Amino acid sequence: MVYKAIDISKYVINHSYDMNFKISNLELQKILYYIQAAFLVEKNEKCFEEKILAWEYGPVIREVYDEYKVCGRMRIPRQDESKKPVFDLKTFAVKLVNVALNINEFDKAIINKIMSAYSNVTNPFELVEKTHSEEPWKKGRLTGIISTRDMKIYYSNNLDKLYNIQER
């Protein structure tokens, strides 16, 4: 199943509270990037369809960035579930009703694995430096878009970089 990036971001933000992991928009963008890579490697499919752009400070999903840019460098607050408009035949009015995110358990496990791998990062600019040192972002800087094909190839061959495994 392919999700909307904004729905995945809401799950990540809310789960970050459960993990006591403070997540800013900058960190969220990098976590979403690595979640997309993990889906490509583990499931051979995208987590979300939105393009990942190669911005100055690393990978960015524009739709998610725009949603949370008001938070600046601050922790993004816990998110409500998505809402969708529904037409009420009795009142002839449109109401917004909550819609569950509906992320299946297997997919949540992949997301949680990535979040655990990066939850110990205390300086968000470590994530910027990390993405800048990796091939998909470097190639993406030439076109402005990070290719999911490049991500799949690179991280399939560099699982230690995907799961932030440091040599000790």
Side-chain angles (χ1 to χ4, degrees), residues 82-99:
S82 294
K83 297 191 181 287
K84 78 173 191 179
V86 174
F87 185 72
D88 185 332
L89 290 172
K90 292 179 183 174
T91 63
F92 294 103
V94 175
K95 296 179 181 179
L96 290 176
V97 296
N98 285 342
V99 178

Side-chain angles (χ1 to χ4, degrees), residues 1-160:
M1 174 175 197
V2 179
Y3 303 98
K4 291 184 179 196
I6 198 70
D7 290 340
I8 296 299
S9 72
K10 288 178 182 184
Y11 175 80
V12 167
I13 293 162
N14 290 343
H15 190 59
S16 76
Y17 278 83
D18 300 337
M19 298 174 66
N20 199 25
F21 167 43
K22 294 182 168 123
I23 195 163
S24 67
N25 200 1
L26 183 72
E27 293 157 313
L28 176 62
Q29 297 298 324
K30 308 320 165 247
I31 297 293
L32 291 172
Y33 168 77
Y34 287 116
I35 287 169
Q36 182 78 301
F39 270 66
L40 292 166
V41 169
E42 293 193 26
K43 294 184 70 177
N44 198 30
E45 66 182 44
K46 294 177 184 178
C47 176
F48 49 85
E49 283 295 334
E50 291 84 349
K51 290 181 174 116
I52 300 177
L53 307 175
W55 282 12
E56 180 181 356
Y57 292 108
V60 170
I61 296 90
R62 181 64 189 242
E63 296 83 350
V64 175
Y65 172 82
D66 286 344
E67 181 74 16
Y68 301 115
K69 67 184 174 187
V70 67
C71 297
R73 293 183 178 192
M74 305 300 293
R75 183 179 195 185
I76 301 171
R78 200 177 271 278
Q79 299 296 296
D80 291 331
E81 291 187 5
S82 294
K83 297 191 181 287
K84 78 173 191 179
V86 174
F87 185 72
D88 185 332
L89 290 172
K90 292 179 183 174
T91 63
F92 294 103
V94 175
K95 296 179 181 179
L96 290 176
V97 296
N98 285 342
V99 178
L101 296 177
N102 290 328
I103 300 170
N104 74 48
E105 293 305 313
F106 181 80
D107 294 345
K108 283 181 184 176
I110 294 172
I111 295 166
N112 295 349
K113 186 176 175 182
I114 290 294
M115 290 184 70
S116 292
Y118 292 93
S119 64
N120 62 346
V121 175
T122 55
N123 179 350
F125 286 93
E126 288 177 38
L127 294 174
V128 172
E129 289 175 21
K130 182 176 183 317
T131 57
H132 282 195
S133 71
E134 297 169 351
E135 282 301 310
W137 183 83
K138 289 178 183 179
K139 283 181 157 184
R141 283 301 282 174
L142 301 173
T143 62
I145 297 173
I146 300 173
S147 153
T148 52
R149 181 179 179 278
D150 289 344
M151 291 171 69
K152 180 174 177 20
I153 292 167
Y154 181 80
Y155 292 109
S156 292
N157 295 315
N158 294 281
L159 289 177
D160 59 323

